[in-house]
Amino acid sequence: MSTTKRTDYLSWNEYFMFHAKMAAQRSKDPNTQVGACIVDLQKKIIGTGYNGLPNGCNDDDFPWERQAEDEYNTKYPYVVHGEINAILNVDAKIPPGCEMFVTMFPCNECAKAIIQCGIKRVYYNFIKNEDSVSNRTSRRMFEKAGIELIYYQPNKSIELTI
């Protein structure tokens, strides 16, 4: 039996990004799974979310297609993004100075909500279509609002075993 503490434990950032990745696994989206985790200044998780349909909307009754002749028949008008779900899942007002860990760089709509609720730092694990209007818009708003953006790759490959 060892008498010294472990040295191969997860850092706080690895722990929180792991929670975001775990939340993403709840998504029913066949193409894109996004998870988010909001953390307060005391290193407590106060909200998590993933991309999916709003409460009360059965996943089997709505389309999951990315393309169709009519956008009405795609997933886009229906799915709530993981970042928005994490914000909505917080039990009270989000305290100042919180951080968000998200598996994918936030779109411009999520960026507006993140800024509006007072989150001060966003860690993201992946960026899709970096030069898209949505991503450029998000970066511009985050910069003007003083939100720190951190591209984050965990140091460890984390596998959950139960």
Side-chain angles (χ1 to χ4, degrees), residues 72-133:
Y72 177 80
N73 294 316
T74 69
K75 65 182 178 176
Y76 299 109
Y78 306 104
V79 171
V80 180
H81 289 188
E83 301 93 322
I84 302 295
N85 266 327
I87 291 167
L88 294 172
N89 286 331
V90 174
D91 286 335
K93 186 174 187 235
I94 295 176
C98 286
E99 301 176 325
M100 179 178 277
F101 290 78
V102 62
T103 57
M104 186 181 294
F105 188 80
C107 73
N108 61 304
E109 293 300 319
C110 291
K112 291 184 239 181
I114 290 166
I115 293 165
Q116 197 67 16
C117 74
I119 290 170
K120 292 298 178 197
R121 185 174 295 119
V122 175
Y123 294 87
Y124 63 95
N125 187 232
F126 173 74
I127 189 164
K128 181 174 155 185
N129 304 323
E130 188 164 4
D131 291 330
S132 70
V133 171

Side-chain angles (χ1 to χ4, degrees), residues 22-75:
M22 192 165 55
Q25 295 308 303
R26 286 284 309 140
S27 175
K28 315 290 187 316
D29 191 317
N31 297 297
T32 306
Q33 299 81 44
V34 177
C37 172
I38 301 172
V39 179
D40 70 12
L41 292 173
Q42 287 74 46
K43 303 278 188 214
K44 292 182 180 153
I45 296 171
I46 62 170
T48 59
Y50 57 89
N51 58 314
L53 293 174
N55 289 336
C57 293
N58 186 318
D59 297 321
D60 297 325
D61 296 337
F62 291 86
W64 288 103
E65 286 77 17
R66 296 167 83 179
Q67 295 180 337
E69 280 200 29
D70 184 349
E71 187 179 9
Y72 177 80
N73 294 316
T74 69
K75 65 182 178 176

Side-chain angles (χ1 to χ4, degrees), residues 9-26:
Y9 56 88
L10 298 177
S11 71
W12 281 114
N13 289 352
E14 289 166 333
Y15 177 74
F16 297 133
M17 189 59 80
F18 177 72
H19 275 275
K21 287 181 174 187
M22 192 165 55
Q25 295 308 303
R26 286 284 309 140

